[in-house]
Amino acid sequence: WTLCLTWTMPLWAVILGWFFGCSGLLVLNARLSERPPRLRISHVDEKTGLTWTKGLGSGESSAYDTVQIIMDQLPKSRLGINLVHNQVTVSRVVVREAFNAGWRVGDVILEVDGKQVRSNKAVQRAVRQALLQKKLPLSFKVRRWAVPDGSRGMLQLTKDGHREHLVPMLDIVKGVLQEFRVVLFLEGPLTEPKTRLSRRVVQRLDALGLPFKAIDCSNEKSNPSIRKIAKELSGEEVLPQLFINGTHVAGGRAIMVALEDKLPEKN
């Protein structure tokens, strides 16, 4: 019995080790496969009506929205967008009319005039048929990623000055203001703002815990005409300029006043 027990103990240890090791791998795999948290909308400020975002939630907001795009006319009998080869995902928005109608890169076309489409060719056929039947306006049902980008970072409107579209920069910026909740036009990058006021505004937004996007108005190569566009949209020449939910909030020193009561109370 002593000899038998000596030989069987290591075998049981191996079996138990293998069992618990596999269980641990399964738990680890399940954790890794979980979806990342989504941005949670916290509350709407009663005084200003502005929606402020805080932290990451556990999926309160839907991952996708279904969007309807209406095109009253087709420029040169075309949609003005490019699709991924043999797919229904928008890869480029080529002309101004398409951008203003609401098309965005990454949109997935689900229906054209109520008819389901599942390929690039199916979209083309549906559009051609509508044109032959003179059915305008055209209606498109689109699936779009709807979780707000909760990161803090810089936006560049072109790739080192190279533009892959014909959409005017003013329309691009208007789209940015609609797609990102908080946008700051400033001088210099976030890592090293060029003016003391821009640096103070960045610090105040960070202190509030607000995720925001910034556009460097001193970088004319990547953001052509951006200083002129910021002035046109805000009505003010001074920088920085702050927009929230597509609405101009304040510019220059007035930003600090507008955000004054947003700092968390100190205990």
Side-chain angles (χ1 to χ4, degrees), residues 44-96:
V44 177
D45 185 85
E46 294 180 358
K47 294 181 180 179
T48 63
L50 301 175
T51 302
W52 299 84
T53 57
K54 281 190 176 181
L56 292 172
S58 57
E60 290 90 340
S61 47
S62 174
Y64 290 97
D65 271 343
T66 300
V67 180
Q68 186 178 32
I69 296 176
I70 305 293
M71 295 198 72
D72 296 319
Q73 58 181 352
L74 301 184
K76 297 182 179 179
S77 299
R78 295 184 177 181
L79 282 180
I81 60 175
N82 290 346
L83 301 179
V84 177
H85 178 66
N86 204 32
Q87 296 183 28
V88 290
T89 303
V90 177
S91 59
R92 289 176 63 192
V93 181
V94 183
V95 299
R96 177 180 190 169

Side-chain angles (χ1 to χ4, degrees), residues 49-264:
L50 301 175
T51 302
W52 299 84
T53 57
K54 281 190 176 181
L56 292 172
S58 57
E60 290 90 340
S61 47
S62 174
Y64 290 97
D65 271 343
T66 300
V67 180
Q68 186 178 32
I69 296 176
I70 305 293
M71 295 198 72
D72 296 319
Q73 58 181 352
L74 301 184
K76 297 182 179 179
S77 299
R78 295 184 177 181
L79 282 180
I81 60 175
N82 290 346
L83 301 179
V84 177
H85 178 66
N86 204 32
Q87 296 183 28
V88 290
T89 303
V90 177
S91 59
R92 289 176 63 192
V93 181
V94 183
V95 299
R96 177 180 190 169
E97 291 84 353
F99 186 87
N100 290 341
W103 290 104
R104 296 294 182 267
V105 172
D107 284 351
V108 178
I109 304 174
L110 304 176
E111 296 179 3
V112 178
D113 263 358
K115 297 180 180 179
Q116 288 188 353
V117 289
R118 296 184 179 181
S119 68
N120 192 320
K121 291 183 178 180
V123 174
Q124 294 178 20
R125 283 196 302 267
V127 172
R128 279 198 300 266
Q129 185 177 2
L131 288 174
L132 288 173
Q133 297 176 358
K134 298 182 179 180
K135 292 178 62 178
L136 287 176
L138 264 179
S139 173
F140 299 84
K141 186 177 179 180
V142 169
R143 185 180 67 185
R144 179 176 297 168
W145 181 252
V147 177
D149 182 353
S151 64
R152 169 191 184 277
M154 300 290 297
L155 293 178
Q156 283 192 352
L157 305 181
T158 69
K159 188 177 181 180
D160 297 326
H162 300 291
R163 296 175 60 179
E164 298 181 349
H165 53 76
L166 302 176
V167 180
M169 296 305 299
L170 177 60
D171 294 312
I172 294 291
V173 175
K174 286 180 178 178
V176 166
L177 295 180
Q178 294 299 321
E179 292 171 14
F180 298 100
R181 298 185 186 279
V182 183
V183 178
L184 179 68
F185 296 85
L186 77 164
E187 294 197 65
L190 284 175
T191 53
E192 194 174 352
K194 292 186 177 181
T195 66
R196 181 182 178 184
L197 182 56
S198 290
R199 184 166 56 253
R200 288 181 61 199
V201 171
V202 169
Q203 290 172 348
R204 177 62 61 89
L205 290 170
D206 286 340
L208 289 169
L210 283 175
F212 67 96
K213 297 298 183 184
I215 301 178
D216 182 3
C217 293
S218 67
N219 187 352
E220 281 286 329
K221 182 178 180 180
S222 296
N223 306 315
S225 303
I226 187 60
R227 191 182 295 269
K228 179 181 177 181
I229 292 171
K231 178 183 177 181
E232 181 174 347
L233 293 174
S234 66
E236 301 177 7
E237 191 169 355
V238 66
L239 289 173
Q241 292 291 335
L242 180 66
F243 288 76
I244 299 179
N245 289 338
T247 301
H248 179 237
V249 175
R253 296 183 182 278
I255 298 178
M256 302 298 292
V257 177
L259 298 177
E260 195 171 37
D261 63 338
K262 296 297 178 189
L263 280 172

